[in-house]
Amino acid sequence: MRDVFVLGVGQTPVGEWWDRSLRDLAADALQAAVSDAGVDLPQALFVANMLAARISNQTQLGALIASHVGWRGLEATTVEAACASGGVAIQAAVRAIASGMLDLVAVCGVEKMTDATGGPVTTALATAADADFEGAHGATFVALNALIMRRYMHEHRIAHEAFAPFGLNAHANAVHNPNAMFRRAITMETWRRAPVISDPVNLFDSSPVADGAAALILGSAELARASGQAPLRVMASACATDSVDLASRDDPIDLYAARLSARRACDQARLGPGDMDLFELHDAFSIMAALSLEAAGFAGPGQATQLAADGEISPQGRIPVCTLGGLKGRGHPVGATGVYQLVDLATQLRGDAGAAQVPGAAIGMAQNIGGTGATVVTHILAADD
């Protein structure tokens, strides 16, 4: 298997893009990534998306976006795995290059969520749950996360306020990200006053509905050497799954797929959690941030909230997380999120994060979670020596 490198990154700011279509957002991100990589035309395009068929009434995104960018005739594929669509698309591209079948591949995650009002978006997001055993009973995605959070609080005897540091950290980091949706820090008092969405989940426990697109250009070692840049090596790309419905899991507060995915990634990279300089985790809800930290080996069961309370997830801490705002501060355009995570990780490892820069960052992990943990993809990137 061949080594794979990140040659270029691109993104649009995350927000409410009323005047930009889904294809326009994708084109902006792809053109930025191609320019950053110094290439003209990739051999293939993988497009990650979850909701376009329901919200934008559009399928065949691979062909649509390839044509819009001026790459008509290019091999193009659309990938869907709920909120983990971006991570799965990246893994497909990594495998294509590692196998030797392709040398230069583009990945684009794109989502346009604000084309619909709250009800239809909530219904569309609920398709990440089990339609027969959860959706049919009216379970929304936020309600399912509230169930997990309530169980975690009960099992580990912690108060809801123990989750506040995750939201405070994300917003503080987003201040320094020009592409973030919420570039404003919040105080503990602001967190306490936040309205409850689905008890115990409040507004600052939950990431926002948003539009956006992010893109990567991945290439072989030969192309990386020819680029004249300092490309980033993809040390690991690992995916694992669990049951879609919560009731079928052995333990609803143990993210089995996240744990397995992280372990597989560490085995591939021959590294451990202690080798990571930062962790771009999937904080769609603060409970997912806690469970991801524990599953990936950065904290023991029930210890993630204490890790956050001790400041160890801050940019100056032992394992900085969501360094450019994460899903909570940057925004969560669901199908694009996994690609945004790798763009943020690459920005840090290149030393381009400005005021948000983690000093000396050389190795980082990103974990992209689909649904309530049914599909989880973990990537490890490293600055190449």
Side-chain angles (χ1 to χ4, degrees), residues 175-187:
V175 168
H176 306 297
N177 181 1
N179 294 298
M181 187 173 185
F182 296 129
R183 299 187 65 195
R184 184 173 63 184
I186 60 172
T187 65

Side-chain angles (χ1 to χ4, degrees), residues 26-47:
D28 289 348
L30 281 167
Q31 287 163 353
V34 165
S35 175
D36 185 47
V39 299
D40 294 321
L41 180 66
Q43 295 169 304
L45 168 65
F46 290 90
V47 176

Side-chain angles (χ1 to χ4, degrees), residues 1-350:
M1 300 290 282
R2 301 191 303 172
D3 289 333
V4 181
F5 293 83
V6 176
L7 306 184
V9 300
Q11 63 183 306
T12 69
V14 178
E16 298 181 0
W17 285 102
W18 303 106
D19 59 341
R20 304 290 288 165
S21 69
L22 184 145
R23 72 186 77 189
D24 289 335
L25 292 173
D28 289 348
L30 281 167
Q31 287 163 353
V34 165
S35 175
D36 185 47
V39 299
D40 294 321
L41 180 66
Q43 295 169 304
L45 168 65
F46 290 90
V47 176
N49 178 270
M50 176 186 174
L51 301 174
R54 295 181 67 95
I55 292 179
S56 302
N57 297 314
Q58 183 67 63
T59 61
Q60 293 208 86
L61 295 186
L64 181 84
I65 291 168
S67 176
H68 190 62
V69 177
W71 297 344
R72 191 172 300 180
L74 190 77
E75 174 186 333
T77 305
T78 309
V79 177
E80 184 280 314
C83 314
S85 299
V88 174
I90 294 167
Q91 186 180 56
V94 168
R95 287 177 170 173
I97 296 168
S99 70
M101 294 185 69
L102 297 170
D103 296 313
L104 186 66
V105 178
V107 181
C108 180
V110 61
E111 204 74 73
K112 192 79 163 61
M113 302 176 73
T114 63
D115 280 351
T117 55
V121 172
T122 298
T123 301
L125 288 170
T127 61
D130 189 305
D132 292 336
F133 298 106
E134 293 174 329
H137 299 283
T140 64
F141 204 56
V142 65
L144 291 170
N145 278 273
L147 288 173
I148 300 170
M149 191 177 204
R150 179 63 72 186
R151 186 65 188 179
Y152 185 95
M153 290 164 59
H154 170 77
E155 288 288 339
H156 298 300
R157 293 182 170 85
I158 63 170
H160 179 225
E161 284 195 359
F163 292 92
F166 292 113
L168 270 63
N169 177 68
H171 276 266
N173 293 345
V175 168
H176 306 297
N177 181 1
N179 294 298
M181 187 173 185
F182 296 129
R183 299 187 65 195
R184 184 173 63 184
I186 60 172
T187 65
M188 187 64 193
E189 184 56 33
T190 302
W191 187 93
R192 289 192 182 103
R193 293 199 309 265
V196 173
I197 302 172
S198 181
D199 191 23
V201 173
N202 74 16
L203 184 68
F204 290 115
D205 286 315
S206 178
S207 57
V209 167
D211 306 330
L216 300 170
I217 303 297
L218 302 175
S220 64
E222 183 179 6
L223 290 177
R225 286 192 296 268
S227 70
Q229 301 182 36
L232 305 173
R233 185 189 299 266
V234 180
M235 302 293 290
S237 179
C239 182
T241 60
D242 199 352
S243 67
V244 172
D245 70 300
L246 290 177
S248 296
R249 297 183 191 172
D250 294 336
D251 184 349
I253 60 172
D254 172 25
L255 284 185
Y256 169 74
R259 179 160 43 85
L260 193 57
S261 172
R263 184 186 304 156
R264 288 172 178 170
C266 286
D267 287 347
Q268 287 179 24
R270 298 182 181 180
L271 298 167
D275 296 308
M276 302 302 150
D277 296 315
L278 66 158
F279 183 31
E280 290 300 323
L281 55 73
H282 191 99
D283 59 330
F285 297 91
S286 56
I287 180 61
M288 283 293 134
L291 295 182
S292 183
L293 278 166
E294 294 173 12
F298 297 107
Q303 297 301 308
T305 55
Q306 188 60 52
L307 186 78
D310 292 342
E312 298 288 12
I313 66 169
S314 73
Q316 298 77 37
R318 175 164 62 85
I319 182 62
V321 306
C322 301
T323 59
L324 289 165
L327 285 62
K328 178 65 191 78
R330 180 193 59 243
H332 182 28
V334 287
T337 284
V339 186
Y340 270 106
Q341 288 180 310
L342 265 288
V343 170
D344 287 354
L345 200 57
T347 300
Q348 283 283 0
L349 298 180
R350 286 175 163 189

Side-chain angles (χ1 to χ4, degrees), residues 338-379:
V339 186
Y340 270 106
Q341 288 180 310
L342 265 288
V343 170
D344 287 354
L345 200 57
T347 300
Q348 283 283 0
L349 298 180
R350 286 175 163 189
D352 293 338
Q357 184 65 47
V358 174
I363 303 174
M365 176 184 284
Q367 189 166 82
N368 190 199
I369 299 175
T372 54
T375 304
V376 184
V377 188
T378 304
H379 285 96

